[in-house]
Amino acid sequence: MDLVQTLVLALIQGLTEFLPISSAAHLILVPELTDWADQGLSFDVATHLGSLVAVMLYFRRELYAMSAAWLDSVRGRGLSPDARLAWAVLFGTLPAALAGWLLHDLIATHLRSAQVIAVTTIVFALLLGYADWRGKRTRHERSIGWKDVLLIGIAQAFALIPGTSRSGVTITAGLLLGLTRQAAARYSFLLSIPIIALAGGFETLNLLQAPPTEVDWGAIMLGAVVAGISAYLCIHFFLKLLARIGMLPFVVYRLLLGGFLVFLFW
């Protein structure tokens, strides 16, 4: 990988992991449109690790409070709002983790195409726009109950289909359930931590089982750092601007991208 490819792919991973526009779609499409060679599994693992470190650093205070409250709940000391949120993140991860384990080969073999990405990009753009328009936007993330956890967790499982967007579909579900934009985004980002860690662990296992290949450690380290910095800045500014801009810019972007893909590949 040359420097330009490394920087572009790392920036795309860092920015699109948390914006509701699908990182998987962009990482599939950019090499296809540029004729770049596949970046390799080790680079994917490194950039996901960078994104994971970024979200954990950004929410470090919340994670500390949630972890302490969760341990107290396990010891039978009551279920505080922070403990409920921690349990909501853990249980909300299960549907996507189970679906990823059962359907990984099917998705990797049959759904990683530009045509699928075009359809999911458009369909889930319309759903996001509808949720932002119709959602009541009155609830905080610490008000999430078990029904909400189940529905948002099931929604996250749909993000295994390229083009859906993990953050996009979970924010959509949160908005439909009455969460504010910021609450839906914060819960979505917290929910990303275990799922990115699980996906990274799965990719690492595949990497360890694959035949040894030459590793470009410079590109891997640079990719991880760039993805991490861009992901951190993306989370910060997205949450800051969300109340003002809403979801409309991302809906419009997805519709334009989907239309472009339909024109290009159909």
Side-chain angles (χ1 to χ4, degrees):
M1 291 177 63
D2 61 26
L3 180 61
V4 171
Q5 184 179 359
T6 300
L7 291 175
V8 168
L9 292 178
L11 278 170
I12 288 172
Q13 164 60 31
L15 293 174
T16 60
E17 182 66 46
F18 299 105
L19 293 179
I21 57 176
S22 181
S23 61
H26 286 76
L27 289 173
I28 290 170
L29 290 172
V30 169
E32 191 166 330
L33 294 173
T34 57
D35 290 327
W36 282 343
D38 185 87
Q39 61 268 24
L41 187 57
S42 57
F43 185 82
D44 287 345
V45 171
T47 53
H48 277 88
L49 178 61
S51 299
L52 177 62
V53 171
V55 70
M56 292 182 70
L57 282 175
Y58 191 87
F59 288 102
R60 60 192 180 278
R61 295 184 182 88
E62 290 88 345
L63 290 172
Y64 176 79
M66 288 164 60
S67 300
W70 180 82
L71 286 173
D72 284 342
S73 73
V74 171
R75 294 166 183 157
R77 297 177 182 172
L79 201 61
S80 67
D82 280 326
R84 282 199 300 272
L85 184 58
W87 281 112
V89 169
L90 291 174
F91 281 111
T93 302
L94 294 179
L98 181 61
W101 178 54
L102 293 175
L103 303 176
H104 176 267
D105 291 341
L106 172 67
I107 293 166
T109 305
H110 298 291
L111 298 182
R112 292 175 66 85
S113 70
Q115 291 84 356
V116 169
I117 292 172
V119 172
T120 53
T121 297
I122 293 171
V123 169
F124 285 96
L126 296 173
L127 285 173
L128 177 62
Y130 177 79
D132 196 41
W133 173 50
R134 296 293 294 175
K136 294 181 179 179
R137 303 202 297 270
T138 57
R139 298 174 56 200
H140 195 269
E141 68 267 25
R142 283 174 173 77
S143 71
I144 289 172
W146 298 118
K147 176 185 173 184
D148 305 317
V149 170
L150 177 62
L151 293 175
I152 296 174
I154 291 172
Q156 183 171 234
F158 280 94
L160 293 167
I161 305 172
T164 302
S165 170
R166 192 211 59 80
S167 63
V169 75
T170 50
I171 290 172
T172 297
L175 290 170
L176 289 173
L177 291 167
L179 297 179
T180 66
R181 289 167 176 158
Q182 289 88 344
R186 283 193 296 266
Y187 181 61
S188 172
F189 295 160
L190 290 170
L191 203 56
S192 75
I193 293 172
I195 207 68
I196 293 175
L198 286 171
F202 183 77
E203 290 175 345
T204 301
L205 280 177
N206 287 337
L207 189 61
L208 293 173
Q209 293 170 0
T213 56
E214 186 177 343
V215 177
D216 185 349
W217 289 107
I220 285 174
M221 295 298 293
L222 179 61
V225 171
V226 171
I229 293 172
S230 57
Y232 189 96
L233 293 173
C234 175
I235 295 169
H236 176 75
F237 287 108
F238 181 70
L239 290 174
K240 289 285 186 185
L241 296 173
L242 195 52
R244 289 211 305 265
I245 66 174
M247 296 296 167
L248 184 59
F250 307 104
V251 172
V252 171
Y253 174 81
R254 289 183 66 119
L255 291 174
L256 291 174
L257 177 61
F260 173 71
L261 294 175
V262 169
F263 171 77
L264 204 60
F265 294 103
W266 280 26

